[in-house]
Amino acid sequence: MLVSERRVCRVLGQHRSTQRKVPRGADDEAALTEDIIELAKQYGRYGYRRVTALLHAAGWTVNHKRVERIWRREGLKEPQRQPKRGRLWLNDGSCIRLRPEYAGHVCAYDFVEGRPHDGRKFRILTIIDEFSRECLALIVARKLNHEDVLAALAELFFWRGPPAHIRSDNGSEFIAGEVRKWLGKIGVKTLYITPGSPWENGYNESFNGSLRDELLNGEIFYSLAEARVLIEAWRRHYNTVRPHSSLGYRPPAPETATPPWPASGSASLHLRPAMAKEAIMH
């Protein structure tokens, strides 16, 4: 018995258009998938949202839901969610009490340790602007004392101007009398966090975690000179290319020209050819 298409669709509750249009994927699905996989290989610690921002920068018009679907389909890594941490103490120097309100309002600095292939540890002085999230300097040396901190700050402030406040923990290099006296003379107020409460210096701690996760844990440095070159290249990439989630997946300083002072050197770090040229030119 022959039954009309109209009647069958009405009985099944189906729209008639489903019987006429052959479903097919988007024409650019293969090219998009290839680019997503390539970015996932190049930036192994990035999730699909940050990769979506990189695709937008490369000219793709695609939303994060489509990228997430392809991401899961291809079995790409999904970074684990970090548990929320409670704020137990709110010292006067805490980033909870005094939040940055504009670029140059609050800077923060801290130390990170690295270890090259020969096993001899080195230290990195990290200095960031809390409002713009820009990394202002990464100073690499075997040893860094309060005099080295003073020298780094003096050169940085010469090029960028002093901030209103500078936040740090209570390390001997930061609470040294000479450092506090010099900062007071140029009008920079010091903000010291409660001992044993690194979350009060949260902006810098977050940056240090990204530095370790995306670079230090994945690179073998065969010399201190190589470490300086690669760390400075990562700093440039972090400032000008890497999407930052708290900035709407924009880089902290995409248009900023790096001042010509020798913080750590320069080189390309697993960058695409255009990015590598840009890193070398600056």
Side-chain angles (χ1 to χ4, degrees), residues 107-109 125-129 134-138 152-153 156 204:
C107 286
Y109 55 175
L125 174 63
T126 65
I127 310 175
I128 67 166
D129 185 299
E134 182 183 0
C135 176
L136 303 177
L138 291 175
L153 293 180
L156 177 63
N204 208 336

Side-chain angles (χ1 to χ4, degrees), residues 102-121:
Y102 52 86
H105 182 207
V106 183
C107 286
Y109 55 175
D110 198 3
F111 285 112
V112 176
E113 283 193 352
R115 193 182 295 271
H117 189 258
D118 61 11
R120 297 175 59 199
K121 291 191 296 186

Side-chain angles (χ1 to χ4, degrees), residues 51-60 241 243 249 251 272:
V51 166
T52 302
L54 291 174
L55 290 170
H56 290 165
W60 279 98
V241 178
Y249 289 95
R272 292 188 295 275

Side-chain angles (χ1 to χ4, degrees), residues 10 28 32 50 105 263:
R10 184 168 62 249
D28 59 357
L32 177 60
R50 191 162 278 132
H105 182 207

Side-chain angles (χ1 to χ4, degrees), residues 17 22 30 35 55 100 131 149-150 161 175 186 197 233 240 242 244 261:
S17 64
V22 179
D35 281 4
L55 290 170
F131 183 83
V149 170
L150 269 177
I175 65 173
I186 62 173
S197 305
T240 60
R242 179 188 182 275
H244 202 296
W261 58 289

Side-chain angles (χ1 to χ4, degrees), residues 115-117 122 124 135 138-140 207 211 214-238 263-271 276 279-280:
R115 193 182 295 271
H117 189 258
F122 60 83
I124 308 170
C135 176
L138 291 175
I139 311 300
V140 183
F207 172 82
L211 171 62
E214 297 173 16
L215 178 66
L216 299 182
N217 288 348
E219 288 287 340
I220 298 176
F221 305 114
Y222 289 97
S223 67
L224 186 63
E226 182 184 25
R228 285 174 174 159
V229 167
L230 294 180
I231 289 169
E232 174 63 12
W234 182 87
R235 185 185 74 87
R236 296 177 188 273
H237 173 77
Y238 178 91
S264 310
S266 64
S268 59
L269 174 62
H270 300 314
L271 308 178
I280 293 171

Side-chain angles (χ1 to χ4, degrees), residues 67-117:
V67 175
E68 181 184 13
R69 175 176 58 78
I70 297 173
W71 190 272
R72 294 180 185 276
R73 185 189 69 201
E74 297 298 322
L76 297 173
K77 177 187 65 65
E78 298 178 27
Q80 293 183 350
R81 292 183 179 275
Q82 297 295 321
K84 292 184 178 180
R85 298 180 181 178
R87 267 58 178 177
L88 302 180
W89 306 101
L90 293 177
N91 190 35
D92 288 340
S94 168
C95 62
I96 308 299
R97 286 278 181 92
L98 178 63
R99 293 187 180 276
E101 298 177 359
Y102 52 86
H105 182 207
V106 183
C107 286
Y109 55 175
D110 198 3
F111 285 112
V112 176
E113 283 193 352
R115 193 182 295 271
H117 189 258

